[in-house]
Amino acid sequence: AGGKIQHAVEKAREQVALMLGCETSEVIFNSGGTEGLNTAIQCALEALPTRKQIIISKVEHSAVSNTVRALAKKGYRITEIGVDRFGRLDLAALGRETGPETALIATLWANNETGVIAPINEIGDLAKRAGAMFVVDAVQCPGKLKLSMKQSAAIDYLAISGHKFHALAGTGALFVRKGAFFKPLIMGGPQERS
C-alpha cells in the first residue's frame, strides 16, 4: 500500500507543478496556506539574516500580517504599504521603502476580500533590485488566474491552499524556487524534505 500512496502523492505533485508552471522538485506539500506562508517567511528571513526590514501591504491576510507583526518583537522593522481607494498597492511607496535592509516583501496575489489582483511582476522586480526575498500568498489564485513560476521569476516562495480548488481540506503546497533556502517549519519524518 505504501508504494501506491507514494505514487498518488507524486502524481498530485506533478499536477500541482503543472498548475504552478514549475518543476516537481519545487513543490512541497503541507497543511495549507498558513503553514506555507509561515514557512516561507521564516525561510526568507534565515536566507538574509543581517537584514531587518519586512515589507507587507496594509491589506494582507492575517496569515502574513500576524506572523510578520510578531517578528517586530525579534527586532525586525515592519513596513506596511498602503493601498489606494480601489485597494491597489502604492507601488511608488513600495519603491521608496525597499532598500538594502529589506529582507523580504510579502504580498497577496489576489485579495480575498476585494478581488484586487496585485502587479506581482512589478513588486517582484522591486524585491530583486533590492536583493530581497519575495513571498506570495496565492491562496485565492488557483483556477482563477494563470500561474507560471517561470514567467513570474522573481517569486521565491508561493503558498496555495487545497480547499480553494476542490482538494482535501487541510492540504496545501508551498512553491520553493530552486536555489532558495528551505528549512521546514515543523520538524518530522523524511517526507516533504523533512
Side-chain angles (χ1 to χ4, degrees):
K4 286 183 181 180
I5 292 171
Q6 188 60 35
H7 176 73
V9 168
E10 293 313 313
K11 179 71 174 166
R13 192 182 319 278
E14 289 171 12
Q15 292 171 329
V16 170
L18 184 63
M19 178 180 67
L20 295 179
C22 69
E23 297 179 24
T24 56
S25 62
E26 296 174 308
V27 175
I28 299 171
F29 289 127
N30 58 30
S31 67
T34 299
E35 181 185 344
L37 290 164
N38 274 258
T39 302
I41 290 166
Q42 292 300 328
C43 288
L45 294 176
E46 284 194 45
L48 298 171
T50 62
R51 295 180 176 219
K52 296 300 177 187
Q53 181 195 30
I54 300 170
I55 300 177
I56 62 173
S57 78
K58 289 186 176 181
V59 295
E60 293 305 312
H61 187 277
S62 58
V64 167
S65 61
N66 289 344
T67 301
V68 165
R69 288 174 187 146
L71 289 165
K73 294 175 186 158
K74 294 186 176 183
Y76 286 95
R77 181 169 59 91
I78 313 306
T79 304
E80 295 188 37
I81 305 297
V83 296
D84 67 15
R85 66 188 186 101
F86 300 106
R88 297 178 301 212
L89 183 69
D90 184 341
L91 284 174
L94 178 62
R96 287 190 301 274
E97 292 292 339
T98 305
E101 282 300 305
T102 307
L104 75 98
I105 297 173
T107 191
L108 286 159
W109 192 327
N111 188 291
N112 57 303
E113 293 181 8
T114 65
V116 170
I117 309 299
I120 289 298
N121 290 332
E122 291 89 339
I123 297 168
D125 287 345
L126 288 170
K128 292 306 136 192
R129 278 199 293 260
M133 305 300 283
F134 187 30
V135 174
V136 176
D137 175 348
V139 168
Q140 300 298 326
C141 298
K144 298 170 193 80
L145 294 177
K146 180 168 175 31
L147 303 174
S148 173
M149 298 305 97
K150 290 181 178 83
Q151 290 179 357
S152 300
I155 297 173
D156 296 297
Y157 307 93
L158 178 137
I160 60 173
S161 186
H163 74 281
K164 294 291 185 174
F165 56 99
H166 308 292
L168 296 171
T171 63
L174 177 64
F175 162 79
V176 178
R177 184 161 308 278
K178 188 178 289 185
F181 177 79
F182 177 75
K183 177 178 158 185
L185 182 67
I186 302 168
M187 305 306 282
Q191 64 273 35
E192 300 307 311
R193 297 194 216 170
S194 300

